[in-house]
Amino acid sequence: MRSGHFEVVVVGGGQAGLATGYHLSRRGIDFTIVDAHERVGDAWRRRWDSLRLFTPARLDALPGMPFPARASALPTKDEMAAYLESYAQRFEVPIRLGIRVDSLRRLEQGYELCAGDLRLNANQVVVATGGYPDPNLPAFAVQLDKDIKQLHSSAYRQPSQLAEGDVLVVGAGNSGAEIALDSVQFHRVWLSGRPTGTVSASFYSRPTWWLATRLLTVDTQIGRRLGRQLGRKGTPLVRIREKDLIAAGVTRAPRVAGVEGGKPRLEDGRVLDVGTVVWCTGFKHDFSWIQLPSTTGGHLPAHRRGVVLAERGLYFMGLPFMYGHNSALIDGAGRDAEYIVARIAAARSNTKPVEVQTMSKKPDSTHTGSKPCVCSVIKRSGLVWKSTGRKDDGKLEYQCKICGATAWRPA
Protein backbone atom coordinates (compact mmCIF):
# COMPACT_ATOMS: atom_id res chain seq x y z
CA MET A 1 0.00 0.00 0.00
CA ARG A 2 1.41 3.36 -1.06
CA SER A 3 0.90 6.43 1.08
CA GLY A 4 1.90 10.05 1.45
CA HIS A 5 1.12 13.12 3.52
CA PHE A 6 0.59 16.68 2.26
CA GLU A 7 -0.58 19.96 3.66
CA VAL A 8 -3.15 20.14 0.84
CA VAL A 9 -4.43 17.62 -1.71
CA VAL A 10 -6.31 18.97 -4.73
CA VAL A 11 -8.63 16.47 -6.43
CA GLY A 12 -8.91 17.31 -10.13
CA GLY A 13 -6.28 18.63 -12.52
CA GLY A 14 -8.39 20.72 -14.88
CA GLN A 15 -8.39 24.51 -15.00
CA ALA A 16 -9.84 24.81 -11.47
CA GLY A 17 -7.23 22.49 -9.98
CA LEU A 18 -4.33 24.06 -11.85
CA ALA A 19 -5.35 27.58 -10.81
CA THR A 20 -5.50 26.37 -7.20
CA GLY A 21 -2.05 24.82 -7.58
CA TYR A 22 -0.66 28.08 -8.94
CA HIS A 23 -1.76 30.05 -5.88
CA LEU A 24 -0.67 27.31 -3.47
CA SER A 25 2.80 27.35 -5.04
CA ARG A 26 3.07 31.13 -4.73
CA ARG A 27 2.40 30.86 -1.01
CA GLY A 28 4.89 28.02 -0.54
CA ILE A 29 2.26 25.54 0.66
CA ASP A 30 3.07 21.82 0.30
CA PHE A 31 0.50 20.19 -1.98
CA THR A 32 -0.18 17.68 -4.71
CA ILE A 33 -2.89 17.39 -7.37
CA VAL A 34 -4.42 14.04 -8.33
CA ASP A 35 -6.36 13.56 -11.56
CA ALA A 36 -8.04 10.52 -13.14
CA HIS A 37 -6.99 11.35 -16.71
CA GLU A 38 -3.78 10.17 -18.34
CA ARG A 39 -2.80 13.63 -19.60
CA VAL A 40 -3.43 17.15 -18.40
CA GLY A 41 -6.20 18.56 -20.61
CA ASP A 42 -7.83 15.24 -21.48
CA ALA A 43 -11.22 16.43 -20.28
CA TRP A 44 -11.11 18.91 -23.20
CA ARG A 45 -9.59 16.50 -25.74
CA ARG A 46 -12.46 14.08 -25.27
CA ARG A 47 -15.19 16.50 -26.28
CA TRP A 48 -16.69 16.68 -29.77
CA ASP A 49 -14.30 17.44 -32.60
CA SER A 50 -15.79 20.74 -33.79
CA LEU A 51 -16.05 22.31 -30.33
CA ARG A 52 -14.68 25.80 -29.83
CA LEU A 53 -14.75 27.69 -26.57
CA PHE A 54 -17.56 30.18 -26.16
CA THR A 55 -15.29 32.79 -24.63
CA PRO A 56 -12.52 34.64 -26.54
CA ALA A 57 -8.87 33.82 -25.87
CA ARG A 58 -8.31 36.85 -23.63
CA LEU A 59 -10.81 35.26 -21.18
CA ASP A 60 -9.33 31.76 -21.47
CA ALA A 61 -6.13 32.20 -19.49
CA LEU A 62 -5.18 31.02 -16.02
CA PRO A 63 -3.18 33.30 -13.68
CA GLY A 64 0.41 33.92 -14.69
CA MET A 65 0.20 32.75 -18.32
CA PRO A 66 -1.74 34.44 -21.17
CA PHE A 67 -3.47 32.23 -23.70
CA PRO A 68 -1.26 32.04 -26.83
CA ALA A 69 -3.71 33.45 -29.38
CA ARG A 70 -5.07 36.79 -30.49
CA ALA A 71 -7.44 38.25 -27.92
CA SER A 72 -10.62 37.75 -29.97
CA ALA A 73 -9.86 34.21 -31.20
CA LEU A 74 -12.12 31.34 -30.12
CA PRO A 75 -9.78 28.47 -29.18
CA THR A 76 -10.54 24.89 -30.20
CA LYS A 77 -10.92 22.26 -27.52
CA ASP A 78 -7.53 20.80 -28.45
CA GLU A 79 -5.85 24.20 -28.19
CA MET A 80 -7.28 24.58 -24.70
CA ALA A 81 -6.05 21.10 -23.76
CA ALA A 82 -2.56 21.97 -25.00
CA TYR A 83 -2.62 25.24 -23.06
CA LEU A 84 -3.47 23.48 -19.81
CA GLU A 85 -0.72 20.93 -20.36
CA SER A 86 1.80 23.70 -21.07
CA TYR A 87 0.60 25.57 -17.99
CA ALA A 88 1.24 22.58 -15.73
CA GLN A 89 4.72 22.16 -17.23
CA ARG A 90 5.65 25.85 -17.04
CA PHE A 91 4.82 26.15 -13.36
CA GLU A 92 6.01 22.62 -12.55
CA VAL A 93 2.71 21.79 -10.91
CA PRO A 94 3.04 18.58 -8.82
CA ILE A 95 0.29 16.53 -10.43
CA ARG A 96 -0.25 12.78 -10.29
CA LEU A 97 -2.15 11.49 -13.32
CA GLY A 98 -4.19 8.33 -13.75
CA ILE A 99 -5.37 8.41 -10.13
CA ARG A 100 -9.12 8.31 -9.48
CA VAL A 101 -10.02 9.01 -5.88
CA ASP A 102 -12.44 6.40 -4.56
CA SER A 103 -13.17 7.95 -1.19
CA LEU A 104 -12.49 10.89 1.06
CA ARG A 105 -13.03 10.62 4.79
CA ARG A 106 -12.12 12.59 7.87
CA LEU A 107 -9.46 11.40 10.27
CA GLU A 108 -8.95 12.57 13.84
CA GLN A 109 -6.70 15.21 12.29
CA GLY A 110 -7.15 16.04 8.62
CA TYR A 111 -8.43 13.80 5.84
CA GLU A 112 -7.62 10.52 4.11
CA LEU A 113 -8.07 10.02 0.36
CA CYS A 114 -8.11 6.49 -1.05
CA ALA A 115 -7.39 5.65 -4.70
CA GLY A 116 -6.93 1.92 -5.17
CA ASP A 117 -3.95 0.95 -3.04
CA LEU A 118 -2.86 4.59 -2.69
CA ARG A 119 -3.55 6.43 0.56
CA LEU A 120 -3.00 10.16 0.83
CA ASN A 121 -3.35 12.11 4.05
CA ALA A 122 -3.95 15.84 3.97
CA ASN A 123 -4.61 18.58 6.46
CA GLN A 124 -6.88 20.28 3.91
CA VAL A 125 -8.57 19.14 0.69
CA VAL A 126 -9.78 21.03 -2.38
CA VAL A 127 -12.32 19.22 -4.58
CA ALA A 128 -11.79 20.63 -8.08
CA THR A 129 -13.49 17.93 -10.13
CA GLY A 130 -15.89 20.42 -11.71
CA GLY A 131 -19.53 21.09 -11.13
CA TYR A 132 -21.15 18.37 -13.22
CA PRO A 133 -19.01 15.25 -13.50
CA ASP A 134 -21.66 12.61 -14.31
CA PRO A 135 -24.05 12.50 -17.31
CA ASN A 136 -27.68 13.17 -16.45
CA LEU A 137 -30.23 11.04 -18.32
CA PRO A 138 -34.02 10.98 -17.88
CA ALA A 139 -35.40 7.86 -16.25
CA PHE A 140 -37.40 6.94 -19.35
CA ALA A 141 -34.28 6.68 -21.54
CA VAL A 142 -34.08 2.94 -20.76
CA GLN A 143 -37.54 2.47 -22.32
CA LEU A 144 -36.38 3.45 -25.81
CA ASP A 145 -36.20 0.66 -28.40
CA LYS A 146 -32.82 -1.08 -28.34
CA ASP A 147 -32.45 -0.36 -32.07
CA ILE A 148 -32.29 3.38 -31.34
CA LYS A 149 -28.72 4.43 -30.69
CA GLN A 150 -28.31 6.62 -27.62
CA LEU A 151 -25.41 8.94 -26.89
CA HIS A 152 -24.85 11.50 -24.18
CA SER A 153 -23.19 14.74 -25.28
CA SER A 154 -20.09 13.73 -23.31
CA ALA A 155 -19.67 10.70 -25.63
CA TYR A 156 -20.43 12.52 -28.90
CA ARG A 157 -17.40 13.24 -31.11
CA GLN A 158 -18.58 13.53 -34.74
CA PRO A 159 -21.59 12.76 -37.00
CA SER A 160 -20.06 9.43 -38.10
CA GLN A 161 -21.11 8.02 -34.71
CA LEU A 162 -24.79 8.51 -35.53
CA ALA A 163 -26.97 5.70 -36.85
CA GLU A 164 -28.91 5.93 -40.11
CA GLY A 165 -32.13 7.88 -40.02
CA ASP A 166 -33.30 10.98 -38.20
CA VAL A 167 -31.47 12.31 -35.16
CA LEU A 168 -33.16 13.68 -32.05
CA VAL A 169 -31.01 16.02 -29.97
CA VAL A 170 -32.61 16.45 -26.55
CA GLY A 171 -31.70 19.71 -24.82
CA ALA A 172 -31.56 23.08 -26.56
CA GLY A 173 -28.69 24.63 -24.62
CA ASN A 174 -25.24 25.33 -26.03
CA SER A 175 -24.20 21.68 -26.32
CA GLY A 176 -27.46 20.69 -27.97
CA ALA A 177 -27.40 23.57 -30.44
CA GLU A 178 -23.76 22.94 -31.39
CA ILE A 179 -24.27 19.19 -31.87
CA ALA A 180 -27.46 19.77 -33.86
CA LEU A 181 -25.62 22.09 -36.25
CA ASP A 182 -22.74 19.61 -36.49
CA SER A 183 -24.95 16.64 -37.37
CA VAL A 184 -27.55 18.36 -39.60
CA GLN A 185 -25.01 18.22 -42.45
CA PHE A 186 -25.67 14.49 -42.76
CA HIS A 187 -29.04 13.81 -41.09
CA ARG A 188 -32.43 15.28 -40.53
CA VAL A 189 -32.14 16.68 -37.01
CA TRP A 190 -34.80 17.42 -34.43
CA LEU A 191 -33.73 19.72 -31.58
CA SER A 192 -35.98 19.27 -28.57
CA GLY A 193 -36.28 21.65 -25.64
CA ARG A 194 -37.40 25.11 -24.68
CA PRO A 195 -35.33 28.06 -25.95
CA THR A 196 -32.83 29.36 -23.40
CA GLY A 197 -32.24 32.76 -25.04
CA THR A 198 -29.07 34.09 -26.61
CA VAL A 199 -26.16 36.06 -25.20
CA SER A 200 -25.09 39.00 -27.34
CA ALA A 201 -21.47 39.03 -28.52
CA SER A 202 -21.12 42.41 -26.81
CA PHE A 203 -21.37 40.62 -23.46
CA TYR A 204 -17.75 39.55 -23.93
CA SER A 205 -16.49 43.06 -24.65
CA ARG A 206 -14.01 44.36 -22.11
CA PRO A 207 -16.27 46.95 -20.40
CA THR A 208 -19.33 44.66 -20.22
CA TRP A 209 -17.40 41.62 -19.00
CA TRP A 210 -15.52 43.70 -16.43
CA LEU A 211 -18.83 45.02 -15.08
CA ALA A 212 -20.53 41.60 -15.18
CA THR A 213 -17.79 39.90 -13.18
CA ARG A 214 -18.33 42.44 -10.41
CA LEU A 215 -22.12 42.66 -10.46
CA LEU A 216 -23.17 39.07 -11.20
CA THR A 217 -21.98 37.42 -8.01
CA VAL A 218 -23.51 35.86 -4.91
CA ASP A 219 -22.80 39.14 -3.11
CA THR A 220 -25.38 41.09 -5.14
CA GLN A 221 -29.13 40.75 -5.44
CA ILE A 222 -29.01 40.74 -9.24
CA GLY A 223 -26.32 38.07 -9.17
CA ARG A 224 -28.27 35.78 -6.83
CA ARG A 225 -31.36 36.20 -9.01
CA LEU A 226 -29.39 35.25 -12.13
CA GLY A 227 -27.96 32.20 -10.38
CA ARG A 228 -31.47 30.96 -9.57
CA GLN A 229 -32.67 31.57 -13.13
CA LEU A 230 -29.76 29.68 -14.68
CA GLY A 231 -30.51 26.74 -12.41
CA ARG A 232 -34.09 26.60 -13.71
CA LYS A 233 -33.79 27.64 -17.35
CA GLY A 234 -30.29 26.66 -18.42
CA THR A 235 -27.47 28.72 -19.88
CA PRO A 236 -28.34 31.03 -22.80
CA LEU A 237 -26.90 30.25 -26.22
CA VAL A 238 -23.58 31.82 -27.16
CA ARG A 239 -22.81 32.65 -30.82
CA ILE A 240 -25.80 30.63 -32.08
CA ARG A 241 -29.25 32.14 -32.54
CA GLU A 242 -32.58 30.41 -33.09
CA LYS A 243 -32.69 31.66 -36.67
CA ASP A 244 -29.26 30.11 -37.30
CA LEU A 245 -30.65 26.71 -36.37
CA ILE A 246 -33.65 27.11 -38.65
CA ALA A 247 -31.49 28.36 -41.54
CA ALA A 248 -29.26 25.29 -41.20
CA GLY A 249 -32.25 22.96 -41.48
CA VAL A 250 -32.61 21.96 -37.83
CA THR A 251 -36.24 21.26 -36.90
CA ARG A 252 -37.20 22.69 -33.50
CA ALA A 253 -39.44 20.58 -31.29
CA PRO A 254 -40.94 20.80 -27.81
CA ARG A 255 -39.57 18.86 -24.87
CA VAL A 256 -39.51 15.07 -24.83
CA ALA A 257 -42.21 13.92 -22.41
CA GLY A 258 -41.63 10.18 -22.45
CA VAL A 259 -41.60 7.04 -24.58
CA GLU A 260 -44.41 5.47 -26.61
CA GLY A 261 -43.97 2.19 -28.42
CA GLY A 262 -40.22 2.37 -27.82
CA LYS A 263 -39.96 5.77 -29.53
CA PRO A 264 -39.54 9.27 -28.04
CA ARG A 265 -42.81 11.14 -27.47
CA LEU A 266 -42.91 14.94 -27.45
CA GLU A 267 -45.00 17.13 -25.17
CA ASP A 268 -47.39 17.86 -28.03
CA GLY A 269 -48.10 14.12 -28.46
CA ARG A 270 -45.99 13.51 -31.56
CA VAL A 271 -43.94 10.33 -31.63
CA LEU A 272 -40.67 10.58 -33.55
CA ASP A 273 -39.18 7.78 -35.63
CA VAL A 274 -35.46 8.36 -35.16
CA GLY A 275 -32.30 6.30 -35.46
CA THR A 276 -30.30 8.18 -32.82
CA VAL A 277 -31.00 10.16 -29.67
CA VAL A 278 -28.26 12.47 -28.39
CA TRP A 279 -28.92 13.45 -24.80
CA CYS A 280 -27.70 17.00 -24.18
CA THR A 281 -29.39 16.97 -20.81
CA GLY A 282 -26.41 18.12 -18.79
CA PHE A 283 -24.63 16.57 -15.88
CA LYS A 284 -25.28 16.00 -12.21
CA HIS A 285 -23.39 16.12 -8.96
CA ASP A 286 -22.28 12.88 -7.39
CA PHE A 287 -20.22 13.43 -4.30
CA SER A 288 -21.02 10.06 -2.74
CA TRP A 289 -17.28 9.31 -2.71
CA ILE A 290 -16.93 12.05 -0.09
CA GLN A 291 -17.85 10.08 3.01
CA LEU A 292 -18.78 12.91 5.35
CA PRO A 293 -22.06 13.76 7.10
CA SER A 294 -22.42 16.93 5.02
CA THR A 295 -22.45 14.96 1.74
CA THR A 296 -24.93 12.24 2.70
CA GLY A 297 -26.69 10.96 -0.42
CA GLY A 298 -24.00 12.35 -2.71
CA HIS A 299 -25.25 15.91 -2.36
CA LEU A 300 -23.10 19.02 -2.55
CA PRO A 301 -22.53 20.31 0.99
CA ALA A 302 -23.46 23.85 1.97
CA HIS A 303 -20.62 26.24 1.22
CA ARG A 304 -19.73 29.90 0.98
CA ARG A 305 -17.65 30.66 -2.10
CA GLY A 306 -16.41 27.07 -2.04
CA VAL A 307 -15.58 27.01 1.66
CA VAL A 308 -17.58 24.15 3.22
CA LEU A 309 -19.27 25.44 6.32
CA ALA A 310 -19.60 22.16 8.21
CA GLU A 311 -16.21 20.62 7.40
CA ARG A 312 -13.13 22.55 8.44
CA GLY A 313 -10.41 22.26 5.81
CA LEU A 314 -12.68 21.13 2.93
CA TYR A 315 -13.14 23.36 -0.13
CA PHE A 316 -14.65 23.19 -3.62
CA MET A 317 -13.53 24.79 -6.87
CA GLY A 318 -15.09 25.17 -10.31
CA LEU A 319 -18.75 24.91 -9.30
CA PRO A 320 -21.33 26.76 -11.43
CA PHE A 321 -21.98 30.18 -9.88
CA MET A 322 -19.82 29.26 -6.90
CA TYR A 323 -19.15 32.96 -6.56
CA GLY A 324 -19.97 34.61 -9.87
CA HIS A 325 -21.39 33.93 -13.30
CA ASN A 326 -17.93 32.89 -14.55
CA SER A 327 -16.97 30.57 -11.69
CA ALA A 328 -17.26 27.45 -13.89
CA LEU A 329 -15.38 29.17 -16.73
CA ILE A 330 -11.63 29.46 -17.13
CA ASP A 331 -11.84 33.20 -16.60
CA GLY A 332 -13.18 32.78 -13.08
CA ALA A 333 -10.81 30.01 -11.96
CA GLY A 334 -7.94 32.29 -10.93
CA ARG A 335 -10.12 34.62 -8.86
CA ASP A 336 -11.90 31.79 -7.05
CA ALA A 337 -8.67 29.87 -6.47
CA GLU A 338 -7.03 32.94 -4.96
CA TYR A 339 -9.92 33.27 -2.51
CA ILE A 340 -9.82 29.58 -1.54
CA VAL A 341 -6.04 29.53 -1.10
CA ALA A 342 -6.21 32.62 1.11
CA ARG A 343 -8.57 30.64 3.37
CA ILE A 344 -6.26 27.64 3.30
CA ALA A 345 -3.32 29.82 4.31
CA ALA A 346 -5.35 31.44 7.07
CA ALA A 347 -6.39 28.03 8.44
CA ARG A 348 -2.72 26.99 8.59
CA SER A 349 -1.74 30.01 10.68
CA ASN A 350 -5.10 30.45 12.44
CA THR A 351 -5.15 34.09 11.36
CA LYS A 352 -7.84 36.10 9.67
CA PRO A 353 -7.55 35.78 5.87
CA VAL A 354 -6.39 38.85 4.00
CA GLU A 355 -9.10 40.23 1.75
CA VAL A 356 -7.97 41.15 -1.74
CA GLN A 357 -8.46 44.84 -2.36
CA THR A 358 -8.12 46.90 -5.52
CA MET A 359 -5.46 49.64 -5.56
CA SER A 360 -6.40 53.18 -6.40
CA LYS A 361 -2.97 53.66 -7.94
CA LYS A 362 -0.71 51.14 -9.59
CA PRO A 363 2.57 50.16 -7.91
CA ASP A 364 5.60 52.39 -8.25
CA SER A 365 7.71 49.45 -9.39
CA THR A 366 7.30 47.41 -12.56
CA HIS A 367 6.56 43.72 -12.89
CA THR A 368 9.13 41.28 -11.62
CA GLY A 369 11.10 39.56 -14.35
CA SER A 370 12.83 40.81 -17.44
CA LYS A 371 9.75 41.55 -19.54
CA PRO A 372 7.10 44.22 -18.95
CA CYS A 373 3.48 43.36 -18.30
CA VAL A 374 1.77 42.13 -21.46
CA CYS A 375 -1.26 44.16 -20.45
CA SER A 376 0.51 47.52 -20.42
CA VAL A 377 -1.14 48.63 -23.66
CA ILE A 378 -4.63 48.47 -22.20
CA LYS A 379 -3.97 49.95 -18.75
CA ARG A 380 -6.05 53.01 -18.14
CA SER A 381 -5.60 53.15 -14.38
CA GLY A 382 -4.45 51.14 -11.40
CA LEU A 383 -7.69 49.12 -11.54
CA VAL A 384 -5.88 46.18 -13.14
CA TRP A 385 -3.77 45.81 -9.99
CA LYS A 386 -4.86 44.11 -6.79
CA SER A 387 -3.13 43.22 -3.54
CA THR A 388 -2.34 39.57 -2.88
CA GLY A 389 -1.75 40.26 0.79
CA ARG A 390 1.85 39.00 0.67
CA LYS A 391 4.56 41.03 2.41
CA ASP A 392 8.32 40.91 2.00
CA ASP A 393 11.00 43.28 3.39
CA GLY A 394 8.54 46.10 4.00
CA LYS A 395 6.90 45.77 0.58
CA LEU A 396 3.45 44.62 -0.49
CA GLU A 397 2.89 42.37 -3.50
CA TYR A 398 0.34 43.24 -6.16
CA GLN A 399 -0.86 41.22 -9.14
CA CYS A 400 -2.09 42.16 -12.59
CA LYS A 401 -5.69 40.96 -12.75
CA ILE A 402 -5.41 40.30 -16.48
CA CYS A 403 -2.14 38.44 -16.99
CA GLY A 404 -1.27 37.43 -13.41
CA ALA A 405 2.20 39.04 -13.36
CA THR A 406 3.34 40.44 -10.00
CA ALA A 407 4.89 43.65 -8.71
CA TRP A 408 5.90 45.10 -5.36
CA ARG A 409 5.52 48.52 -3.78
CA PRO A 410 6.53 49.95 -0.40
CA ALA A 411 4.08 49.15 2.39
Side-chain angles (χ1 to χ4, degrees), residues 306-342:
V307 180
V308 178
L309 306 178
E311 304 289 349
R312 179 177 174 84
L314 180 62
Y315 312 87
F316 282 82
M317 269 291 298
L319 298 175
F321 228 95
M322 188 176 84
Y323 174 64
H325 75 98
N326 61 342
S327 281
L329 303 179
I330 298 162
D331 178 64
R335 173 203 60 203
D336 290 351
E338 186 175 26
Y339 181 88
I340 291 295
V341 172

Side-chain angles (χ1 to χ4, degrees), residues 82-165:
Y83 169 80
L84 294 178
E85 194 167 47
S86 297
Y87 188 90
Q89 293 169 354
R90 174 175 175 177
F91 294 107
E92 300 180 338
V93 178
I95 183 168
R96 302 182 179 195
L97 297 168
I99 296 177
R100 180 178 295 277
V101 175
D102 303 315
S103 65
L104 168 66
R105 66 186 185 91
R106 179 175 281 285
L107 302 177
E108 185 175 344
Q109 292 186 343
Y111 295 90
E112 180 185 64
L113 301 95
C114 299
D117 64 349
L118 176 65
R119 300 289 185 271
L120 296 176
N121 292 337
N123 296 337
Q124 304 188 69
V125 175
V126 180
V127 178
T129 53
Y132 302 116
D134 295 324
N136 182 40
L137 299 178
F140 57 75
V142 297
Q143 301 173 20
L144 287 174
D145 192 291
K146 60 181 176 59
D147 292 331
I148 297 177
K149 184 170 185 177
Q150 297 188 58
L151 289 172
H152 187 265
S153 60
S154 59
Y156 176 81
R157 298 293 178 271
Q158 53 189 247
S160 64
Q161 292 175 274
L162 307 175
E164 293 185 5

